[in-house]
Amino acid sequence: ELLVVIAIIGILASIVLVSLVNVRYKAKNAVIRQEVDELAKLMELEYADSGNYSKLQIDLIVPLQADCDEVGYDGQYASQVVALCEKIVSMAPELPSGYESYAQFLMANNEDMVNKFSIMATIWTTSATPNYYCSGSSGKFESTSFPFGDPEQAVGCYWEP
């Protein structure tokens, strides 16, 4: 009887642990979404002040190509952007093997798109493929699978700012 009780407790404990992982991921993703949305607000403030996003819209993959404080953001909101970038990168999951060249955080466009912006951040998932939360001048996007085959569906992301 004691073994049956121990087995039942073990089963219940494993169910609780699996649930806690999902709750933790949801909490981290909520913070990442909030910080990306704050960045989007700063982008809009920059646009209202200067008429474009070029001071904050630099085509670099963080942290693959540069750390947040090395990107070269400029203007009135640069220090706030660096702080938000650092928080997002610290909260974002490590990219799985095979995806090292992808971005944990990307705030970029082609240089000729100074009147559009795109912010992408990796979010937590139980999938082996990285998922992103995007916010851009055309809207927001989040999905359990990124539409690499048809990226125009991903409004707010790099391909459809």
Side-chain angles (χ1 to χ4, degrees):
E1 292 177 22
L2 183 59
L3 289 175
V4 171
V5 170
I6 291 172
I8 291 171
I9 290 172
I11 291 169
L12 291 174
S14 66
I15 291 170
V16 168
L17 288 176
V18 169
S19 314
L20 287 177
V21 168
N22 288 334
V23 168
R24 223 178 287 145
Y25 284 0
K26 286 180 183 181
K28 288 179 180 182
N29 287 345
V31 171
I32 292 169
R33 279 196 237 39
Q34 179 181 353
E35 301 304 330
V36 167
D37 290 345
E38 286 299 314
L39 275 173
K41 290 175 188 172
L42 287 176
M43 295 298 287
E44 293 299 341
L45 288 171
E46 176 63 32
Y47 189 84
D49 291 349
S50 67
N52 64 58
Y53 302 108
S54 62
K55 291 181 180 178
L56 301 178
Q57 191 72 350
I58 298 169
D59 198 6
L60 284 176
I61 299 170
V62 178
L64 184 66
Q65 295 175 319
D67 289 329
C68 294
D69 60 344
E70 301 169 336
V71 170
Y73 299 118
D74 192 18
Q76 178 178 352
Y77 307 105
S79 62
Q80 293 165 287
V81 169
V82 168
L84 289 168
C85 173
E86 288 172 344
K87 185 161 186 183
I88 290 168
V89 170
S90 73
M91 294 293 293
E94 291 291 323
L95 295 171
S97 178
Y99 292 93
E100 292 86 358
S101 64
Y102 287 54
Q104 272 184 295
F105 174 71
L106 175 66
M107 192 169 150
N109 270 338
N110 299 330
E111 284 104 26
D112 61 337
M113 291 185 161
V114 295
N115 293 320
K116 293 184 179 183
F117 74 92
S118 170
I119 305 165
M120 294 175 63
T122 310
I123 56 173
W124 289 86
T125 178
T126 55
S127 165
T129 306
N131 292 314
Y132 290 91
Y133 174 68
C134 305
S135 182
S137 47
S138 65
K140 297 178 184 180
F141 175 82
E142 180 178 352
S143 179
T144 56
S145 62
F146 195 80
F148 287 107
D150 190 11
E152 289 78 29
Q153 293 178 13
V155 296
C157 295
Y158 182 77
W159 303 273
E160 192 66 32

